[in-house]
Amino acid sequence: LDRTFGGITMLPPYQRGIGEWYNGTANAIYQNMNYIVDNKCENVLILAGDHIYKMNYQKMIRAHERKNADVTIAVKEVDMKSASQFGILSANKNGDITEFEEKPKNPKSNLASMGIYIFKFEVLKDMLLSYCGPNGSEDFGKDIIPRMIGRYKMNAYKFHGYWKDVGTLEEYWRANIELTGDYPPLDLYEEDFKIHTKSEELPPVKFGKNGVAKHSLVSNGCIIKGYVENSVISPGVTIEEGAVVKNSMVFTNTVIKKDSIIDRTIIDKRVVIGKNCRIGIGEDYTPNREIKEKMNSGINLIGKFAVIPDGTYIERNCRIMSRVEEYDFDSKRIKSGETVHSSKEGSFFDLFLT
């Protein structure tokens, strides 16, 4: 990826000190149109950032060129029960797209857009200049693709492999936990299609005399003296004696102290869970009062740098915000659906520690 020609170029929003932050997928491309023009490309491949899958894009590009399509959309058949969560399209027997609707209440088919597009450059430029920027359109699925139906040659490229949209909290959690099974739907160890990731320069995993990990992914630098099951443990995590972690994701350099029990929780980096805590308990699934539509499946969130006091009980659908400290807790028991905020939230200091 480190090359004189090609490679990866980061184009963060607001990088030139003018304009505005990205407001959607189409708006992000629109704001970087000069970069695409300078590269003199014939086709532009646009990918989503919240999907998990493995795909050889060369096959899709060849299909796009063979059919001389103006735009090709990667699609996958989904369960009709969940079709309303996606952009749904209809296509004829030749693969030509005839209809498209973003998250329809009553979907006409189960052919879901994967958020992967190949545009002819000139078509992409015309659409974005016509509808983005001052004209207000921001998203491909909502604003751009529907306007192209009947006007351009649009092709559906069917994908038959594993694909997961992790745009919701539960799907993000589920996609990670699925990787811990004996036969995960996504093969992380396939020699012919390696997944490259950041590797921490840390010692090997160390297990104490009572340390156990079952059906879990445990990264380098971890010290496991407790019990781990069906969980993803990031580099540098310490799980002390008597601690139990199940069905959870624990991020880098977090410490879970003695005799604490964690279930169905996502814990961000550099968190300290005190002794004898219980997180993810009870049968009360009251949705989080601040974000009911996003946290209602029983999963807890603990933000980075948080410190959970010894003996704290946290039920379900709770949020412990970043940099929460012991004095931010009014009670040792956090009821389902509650949020604990930090007195430091929104401070200037936060900008340098995200």
Side-chain angles (χ1 to χ4, degrees), residues 106-178:
N106 299 301
K108 297 178 181 178
S109 82
N110 67 337
L111 209 55
S113 167
M114 296 173 62
I116 300 171
Y117 314 105
I118 300 175
F119 281 87
K120 284 184 176 177
F121 167 68
E122 292 297 333
V123 172
L124 177 66
K125 182 177 71 173
D126 290 346
M127 290 300 297
L128 295 187
L129 292 180
S130 298
Y131 297 108
C132 282
N135 297 315
S137 294
E138 299 174 348
D139 187 73
F140 280 106
K142 180 181 177 182
D143 303 310
I144 301 300
I145 300 300
R147 287 188 168 103
M148 298 181 69
I149 300 292
R151 297 173 54 189
Y152 293 94
K153 183 173 177 54
M154 305 177 68
N155 178 54
Y157 176 81
K158 282 192 175 183
F159 179 69
H160 300 286
Y162 174 85
W163 174 75
K164 179 79 75 173
D165 184 336
V166 290
T168 67
L169 175 64
E170 184 173 10
E171 288 301 325
Y172 171 70
W173 170 83
R174 190 180 304 280
N176 278 272
I177 299 305
E178 283 178 346

Side-chain angles (χ1 to χ4, degrees), residues 52-120:
I52 299 174
Y53 61 96
K54 292 196 291 188
M55 177 190 285
N56 184 343
Y57 299 121
Q58 289 292 344
K59 294 180 180 179
M60 183 175 171
I61 292 169
R62 286 196 292 268
H64 172 77
E65 293 176 338
R66 185 172 63 252
K67 293 202 171 186
N68 192 30
D70 293 313
V71 60
T72 296
I73 302 176
V75 299
K76 183 172 176 62
E77 292 182 353
V78 298
D79 192 310
M80 282 297 294
K81 293 179 181 179
S82 61
S84 60
Q85 301 174 22
F86 303 96
I88 295 297
L89 56 86
S90 298
N92 61 26
K93 61 181 181 180
N94 295 320
D96 300 320
I97 298 172
T98 56
E99 292 183 79
F100 184 94
E101 191 174 2
E102 183 72 3
K103 297 181 179 178
K105 291 183 178 179
N106 299 301
K108 297 178 181 178
S109 82
N110 67 337
L111 209 55
S113 167
M114 296 173 62
I116 300 171
Y117 314 105
I118 300 175
F119 281 87
K120 284 184 176 177

Side-chain angles (χ1 to χ4, degrees), residues 252-270:
T252 306
N253 294 327
T254 282
V255 176
I256 300 174
K257 294 190 175 180
K258 289 184 177 182
D259 300 320
S260 286
I261 299 176
I262 317 292
D263 184 39
R264 286 177 65 86
T265 299
I266 300 174
I267 303 175
D268 208 338
K269 62 185 179 182
R270 298 184 183 276

Side-chain angles (χ1 to χ4, degrees), residues 156-202:
Y157 176 81
K158 282 192 175 183
F159 179 69
H160 300 286
Y162 174 85
W163 174 75
K164 179 79 75 173
D165 184 336
V166 290
T168 67
L169 175 64
E170 184 173 10
E171 288 301 325
Y172 171 70
W173 170 83
R174 190 180 304 280
N176 278 272
I177 299 305
E178 283 178 346
L179 296 176
T180 66
D182 287 333
Y183 303 100
L186 184 69
D187 185 1
L188 300 180
Y189 304 95
E190 186 179 0
E191 284 295 321
D192 295 334
F193 206 136
K194 291 185 178 181
I195 295 177
H196 296 272
T197 187
K198 181 180 179 182
S199 178
E200 301 282 354
E201 292 296 331
L202 293 170

Side-chain angles (χ1 to χ4, degrees), residues 45 150 224 249 335:
L45 171 65
I224 310 295
M249 298 164 58
K335 297 285 189 179

